[in-house]
Amino acid sequence: MRGGRFARLPQSPNGDSPLNQQDPNWERRLVEKLASAALVEQRRTRQWKTFFRLMWLTLAALAVAAMWSSSDGDKSGIGLGSAHTALIDLNGVIGGENDVADKLVKGMEAAYRSGSARGIVIRANSPGGSPVVSGMAYDEIRRLKKQHPTIPVIVAVEEVCASGCYYIAAAADKIYADKASVIGSIGVLSGGFGFTGAMEKLGVERRLMTAGADKAMGDPFSPENPRHEAIRRSLIDDIHRQFVAAVKLGRGTRLKNDPELFSGRIWLGDQGVALGLVDGLGSVRSVARDVLKAEKLVDYTPQDDLTSRFARRFGVSLSDGLRELFATRLL
């Protein structure tokens, strides 16, 4: 039927096979398939529109929330005429993006400016980290204490306050912990790897050129060098001496004469009391209530700036939205 109605076989909408022209209802089936395909495309379009609308709504909501919390960042006027305990968090690994020294200084300065803080409690929950940042925070706490001698600074340990965290805590007037808190670890760690044996088995040859005999110290692809190992040992011993001196200066005669005190081992909170590493058992609330006699807590922990907070929250929201969208489409 060259010029007739069925000169060309109609294809199904998905292109997989031609519709049967002998079927008397083929036109109806074609219309149904085309309508079905149109509905699928409309559904996909709606999904994308919904996603972008939700994304912009989330963006706007986060911006408002970030600006709201940002406006409450400086608590210098909070509690005027009302005695309270200033709370500052010391969380996470010390160093890197966790600028503990800067946050502690800002939080403490804001608490002092309030004029109503009866004392400052540093809520510690950190396994330690950089000895440099820990030392900086230690020095800043002692500096601020000299400027404001009538306002006590107390550390309240939650889960753990070890290594660099205890370094910082030693600068406080007193340290309290739970009986099961982990404290101490007054030591220094310097780790690394050596791959020379694996390289030899694989037939890999290390070709390293340096200007300076000690430039490649610690290179994991070179064999151990006695001179370099001696230098590393001297460095960590010096840092350990600084750590021990800071703890002795901060804790004074409260420390017991125990040979394992500075061995790097950890202790539980109740053991720390017996050793003089901790002044007593307690929590943030018990310290505020029973030691400082100011049960009301005001959090002075500095928050991230608006840009960083907004970018992080928006990034999480966007990734969640994309995952949800594509998970729906792949079902």
Side-chain angles (χ1 to χ4, degrees):
M1 300 186 61
R2 197 172 221 68
R5 187 175 182 181
F6 300 106
R8 187 176 183 183
L9 292 176
Q11 300 289 320
S12 64
N14 58 14
D16 52 3
S17 63
L19 294 171
N20 186 357
Q21 70 186 81
Q22 303 301 326
D23 185 352
N25 296 319
W26 74 268
E27 291 177 313
R28 175 183 168 186
R29 294 182 186 280
L30 175 61
V31 171
E32 289 176 348
K33 288 181 179 291
L34 290 173
S36 176
L39 287 174
V40 170
E41 188 60 32
Q42 288 178 0
R43 190 178 299 115
R44 290 176 179 173
T45 302
R46 284 198 302 270
Q47 286 178 335
W48 279 107
K49 285 183 178 179
T50 301
F51 166 73
F52 283 112
R53 287 171 181 169
L54 289 174
M55 183 183 70
W56 285 113
L57 284 174
T58 303
L59 191 70
L62 288 175
V64 172
M67 286 187 289
W68 179 269
S69 58
S70 153
S71 65
D72 192 40
D74 183 5
K75 299 180 174 64
S76 58
I78 286 183
L80 288 175
S82 175
H84 62 271
T85 294
L87 177 65
I88 304 172
D89 282 328
L90 170 55
N91 288 328
V93 177
I94 299 167
E97 295 183 359
N98 191 10
D99 192 352
V100 173
D102 186 57
K103 288 182 177 180
L104 278 176
V105 171
K106 288 181 178 178
M108 292 178 71
E109 288 177 342
Y112 291 132
R113 285 197 304 269
S114 73
S116 303
R118 187 164 289 177
I120 296 173
V121 174
I122 299 173
R123 179 165 53 192
N125 192 12
S126 167
S130 166
V132 175
V133 179
S134 300
M136 290 169 59
Y138 175 94
D139 292 340
E140 288 299 322
I141 291 174
R142 289 181 58 83
R143 179 183 66 83
L144 290 171
K145 281 172 51 182
K146 287 181 180 179
Q147 293 179 0
H148 306 274
T150 61
I151 300 178
V153 178
I154 299 175
V155 169
V157 181
E158 289 191 336
E159 295 286 343
V160 59
C161 181
S163 195
C165 180
Y166 191 81
Y167 194 149
I168 296 172
D173 295 304
K174 290 185 177 181
I175 302 174
Y176 289 85
D178 184 80
K179 59 183 179 296
S181 298
V182 175
I183 61 166
S185 188
I186 304 173
V188 181
L189 176 68
S190 175
F193 298 92
F195 298 102
T196 53
M199 291 169 60
E200 185 177 349
K201 291 180 180 179
L202 294 172
V204 178
E205 181 183 356
R206 176 66 161 161
R207 295 175 180 175
L208 178 66
M209 183 179 296
T210 66
D214 301 318
K215 187 61 178 178
M217 186 174 66
D219 175 43
F221 301 104
S222 298
E224 285 187 322
N225 183 315
R227 169 182 164 79
H228 293 171
E229 293 303 307
I231 294 173
R232 288 182 63 191
R233 167 55 60 187
S234 175
L235 291 174
I236 64 174
D237 285 346
D238 285 345
I239 296 173
H240 189 215
R241 280 191 287 270
Q242 294 172 7
F243 191 173
V244 172
V247 172
K248 287 182 176 179
L249 178 63
R251 300 298 297 167
T253 58
R254 289 172 289 186
L255 292 174
K256 306 303 179 186
N257 187 18
D258 190 301
E260 293 191 3
L261 202 60
F262 304 117
S263 67
R265 66 160 290 180
I266 58 174
W267 314 83
L268 295 180
D270 54 359
Q271 296 173 322
V273 174
L275 291 168
L277 295 171
V278 175
D279 294 285
L281 300 180
S283 63
V284 169
R285 292 195 177 278
S286 69
V287 169
R289 181 183 62 246
D290 303 328
V291 180
L292 296 176
K293 308 299 182 183
E295 192 169 358
K296 179 182 177 182
L297 291 168
V298 176
D299 192 347
Y300 286 84
T301 306
Q303 301 300 315
D304 292 336
D305 60 83
L306 174 62
T307 304
S308 300
R309 205 159 57 242
F310 176 76
R312 183 172 60 253
R313 293 180 184 176
F314 175 67
V316 172
S317 301
L318 180 59
S319 64
D320 289 344
L322 286 170
R323 183 171 61 249
E324 181 65 24
L325 174 68
F326 287 108
T328 302
R329 292 191 65 188
L330 293 172
L331 289 176

